[in-house]
Structure formats: structure tokens, C-alpha cells
Amino acid sequence: MRPVIGITMSMRREENRLTLHRDNSDAIFLAGGLPFLLPYTTDKHCLHQMAKRMNGLLLTGGGDIDPGLFGEEPLLGLGEVEPERDRMEMALSQMMIEANKPVLALCRGFQILNIALGGDMYQDLYTQREGVIQHYQKATRDHASHTIQIAKDTTLRKVAGVDRIRVNSFHHQAVRRIPNGFIVSATAPDGVTEAFEKIGEPFVMGVQWHPENLYKKSAFARHLFQTFIDACKA
């Protein structure tokens, strides 16, 4: 039986439409999972039912995160936020962690997972931190634009098989302080956190790049999704 993977979606506000880049669901299919797309709701009973039925959660990319969630006022560099999505993903993330179920979080998903578990973030890297490299690449989504350094003795290092590798990059916000019980497993050349993971079981990992757009070309991306799905099967 394929494990059931809930996938969060973005909102196209002007059309009142939920959307998902197909690469997210295709990567889950390829790795052996059964993707289910999650509509927006903040009803706790519905969210509990979602978490109960899922074997794993994929938090996908998208727009910016409301800084009020980590006690800050909005800065000029902040983009469009979707408060309902923020609240849903935070609650669902917490429920999955409490149920000891795997979570894989991508880009914005990495950031909202970090906030949900007590961390904080940069609203806008380019105005809040000096000496940063280009983190929003001007290239196709399947192009790996900059390197990351992967920490020793981490799950991500086992997935990659190397300590340095190139990834794609489409963000201007970033994780700053990570929650207790997690370790930074990868950084960019400028020191920006590119991945974290939960210490011990189950598999809970956030990455700042978009492996769903790389899986057709990258064995590293495919192995990351496969590791997630294997954890969901377990």
C-alpha cells in the first residue's frame, strides 16, 4: 500500500483558487506515495481528521509568512501573505509532530514549520542581513544555482552522499532561529540556513530549496523524496 501524503497548496487570491505545481505531486508518485491535496481550513476537528488519515505531510512553497506569528511588525520588504494558510499549516504541522508522523517541508514550508515549532525568521534577507548571495535565482526552476554545505552525521548527509552540492533557490525570506530538538543540517555559502532536521525519529526535515523541481535531473532530489516516503511507510 502506498502511504497517504497530504500536500498543502497556494492561494491565487484574485481568482479565489487553490493551486499546486505539478512537480510536487509527481515527485510523491515517483517515490511511491499517494498524494492528496489539502484544501484550506482552520477547523480543528477537520485538521485532526486530516492528520489522522495521513501517513506524512508535504509542506510546499508559496508566498510570504505573516511576521505577527513570531512577534514582529511587517517590514517594507515583506510580500503578500495568506493568513489562513499560515494558521492551517502551523496547526497541521504541530498535529503531525505530536502524532510522530513524518514531515517534509520545502522553502516556505520550511519556514512555516520552523515558526510552528517555536523558531523565527528573516522577513527579508536583503534588508536584514549583509553579504548575502543571490537567493532568488534568475534561471529556470530546474537549474541548481548555488552550493550548500551539508553537516556531518545528519540524515541529509546520508541522503546526499556528499558534503557539498548545488541546489535551486527561490526565496527572500529565511529561517533564523531554529526550534529546540532540531539541528541545522545545511547552510549556504553566506551562512543562511538551508536545511534543518529533527533529532531522532520520526523523519522531520525542512529544506530551503525546491527539490520537487529538480527530481527529474537530480538523484539527490529523488533520494530525498524516497527517504521521506520510506519513513512514511514505516
Side-chain angles (χ1 to χ4, degrees), residues 31-44:
L34 188 64
F36 276 80
L37 310 189
L38 302 176
Y40 286 6
T41 180
T42 54
D43 182 281
K44 289 187 177 180

Side-chain angles (χ1 to χ4, degrees), residues 8-162:
T8 59
M9 295 189 285
S10 296
M11 168 69 80
R12 188 171 295 172
R13 188 177 298 174
E14 64 276 10
E15 301 174 12
N16 197 29
R17 179 179 298 179
L18 295 176
T19 65
L20 178 74
H21 197 294
R22 181 175 172 175
D23 283 349
N24 290 280
S25 53
D26 281 356
I28 294 297
F29 273 130
L30 182 66
L34 188 64
F36 276 80
L37 310 189
L38 302 176
Y40 286 6
T41 180
T42 54
D43 182 281
K44 289 187 177 180
H45 177 73
C46 291
L47 292 173
H48 275 292
Q49 291 298 306
M50 287 180 181
K52 184 177 180 179
R53 286 165 168 76
M54 291 187 298
N55 300 111
L57 173 65
L58 180 67
L59 295 168
T60 62
D64 285 5
I65 293 170
D66 181 1
L69 296 174
F70 48 98
E72 291 187 3
E73 299 296 333
L75 301 179
L76 288 176
L78 181 70
E80 185 174 298
V81 299
E82 185 52 61
E84 186 179 15
R85 181 180 185 183
D86 290 343
R87 294 195 300 272
M88 172 186 168
E89 291 185 346
M90 287 183 66
L92 200 53
S93 297
Q94 292 162 353
M95 291 174 187
M96 293 293 285
I97 299 296
E98 289 170 3
N100 290 316
K101 294 185 177 183
V103 178
L104 177 59
L106 314 178
C107 197
R108 175 207 145 85
F110 174 29
Q111 297 160 10
I112 198 68
L113 176 63
N114 185 56
I115 300 303
L117 300 179
D120 65 15
M121 61 184 287
Y122 296 105
Q123 293 184 45
D124 179 47
L125 271 176
Y126 301 109
T127 57
Q128 290 185 278
R129 182 166 174 150
E130 295 182 353
V132 295
I133 64 171
Q134 185 187 70
H135 284 275
Y136 202 104
Q137 68 188 52
K138 299 177 182 180
T140 58
R141 297 191 71 85
D142 62 352
H143 174 69
S145 66
H146 73 72
T147 59
I148 57 170
Q149 181 69 40
I150 304 176
K152 295 179 179 179
D153 302 321
T154 59
T155 299
L156 188 63
R157 178 70 171 268
K158 294 177 184 176
V159 170
V162 295

